Amino acid sequence: MRESDRLVTVLTPGFGKIKIGVRGARKIKSKLGGHLQILNHALLVIHSGSAFDIVSGAEAEESFATIKEDLSLLAKSLYLMELTDAIIPEAAPHPDVYDCLLSALRLMNSRKNPDIISACSEFKILQSTGYLPELYRCVSCDTEIIQGAHGFSPRLGGVICIDCEGYGASSSAISVEALKVLRYMSRVETEQVADLNLNLNQQNELNQLLGQLITTVLEKKLNSSVFIEHLTNIRSNQ
Ligand SMILES: [Zn+2]
């Protein structure tokens, strides 16, 4: 790699997450670099190289300009990117995650209910990578959950009945409405969730539950989640 070259991580439908070398990407007039900007959906021509595969052609098909001009949409989109990058290993195809991310960017670029789209996409990424939380039976004793008598345990990966909660299993409260939304998300496509109308408390609860689940799965907090929290605090204090 030369000094003007750059190594970028891209998500592909067929090969999963891969690192590719871009010749001259750091040069100001680099055409390739322009097409490979963050969040871009691009068509790439990739050649095998000795150390890394090298991209020899790139054509941006969608650049999601609306997202890039809106700090809140941008933060949500970067959070989904960071989550994807952290949760899937390199070179393992995940076409479901690819479709989910592309659909999330398109919906957010159309500004259609970005809060719920972002939450649903986080949930779908977890679902596609094998981290779908249990939403119907107690994760501790396997009895069917009775509506209203349950908590949620991110560590055990789902809902927990009131009896098991009492025996010291760590859990947080989850409202009946939030559980219904999660169950709905597990059954339908993200586009359908865009029509849901959640109030601020319900949206906050959903964000908190998903945040706890993601932090538990990844065993760390994502950098962009801290940024989103700051952004939310600034806005709520205005
Ligand atoms: Zn139980």
Side-chain angles (χ1 to χ4, degrees), residues 138 140-141 143 161 164:
C138 172
S140 177
C141 71
T143 54
C161 78
C164 294

Short mmCIF file of all heavy atoms in Angstrom, two decimals, residues 138 140-141 143 161 164, ligand 1:
data_model
loop_
_atom_site.label_atom_id
_atom_site.label_comp_id
_atom_site.label_asym_id
_atom_site.label_seq_id
_atom_site.Cartn_x
_atom_site.Cartn_y
_atom_site.Cartn_z
N CYS A 138 -40.50 -17.65 29.04
CA CYS A 138 -39.51 -17.19 30.03
C CYS A 138 -38.14 -17.78 29.70
O CYS A 138 -38.01 -18.99 29.50
CB CYS A 138 -39.95 -17.61 31.43
SG CYS A 138 -38.68 -17.29 32.67
N SER A 140 -35.77 -18.22 31.56
CA SER A 140 -35.20 -18.98 32.67
C SER A 140 -35.92 -20.32 32.86
O SER A 140 -35.28 -21.36 32.94
CB SER A 140 -35.27 -18.13 33.94
OG SER A 140 -34.78 -18.85 35.03
N CYS A 141 -37.27 -20.31 32.90
CA CYS A 141 -38.00 -21.56 33.20
C CYS A 141 -38.84 -22.06 32.03
O CYS A 141 -39.49 -23.10 32.14
CB CYS A 141 -38.87 -21.37 34.44
SG CYS A 141 -40.29 -20.31 34.13
N THR A 143 -41.65 -21.21 30.79
CA THR A 143 -43.12 -21.14 30.79
C THR A 143 -43.56 -19.97 29.90
O THR A 143 -42.81 -19.01 29.69
CB THR A 143 -43.72 -20.90 32.20
OG1 THR A 143 -43.09 -19.75 32.74
CG2 THR A 143 -43.53 -22.09 33.10
N CYS A 161 -40.21 -14.45 33.37
CA CYS A 161 -41.49 -14.42 34.09
C CYS A 161 -41.30 -13.82 35.48
O CYS A 161 -40.19 -13.72 35.99
CB CYS A 161 -42.12 -15.81 34.16
SG CYS A 161 -41.36 -16.88 35.40
N CYS A 164 -39.35 -16.04 38.10
CA CYS A 164 -37.89 -16.13 37.94
C CYS A 164 -37.22 -14.79 38.26
O CYS A 164 -36.13 -14.76 38.81
CB CYS A 164 -37.54 -16.57 36.53
SG CYS A 164 -38.08 -18.25 36.20
ZN ZN B 1 -39.62 -18.15 34.57
#
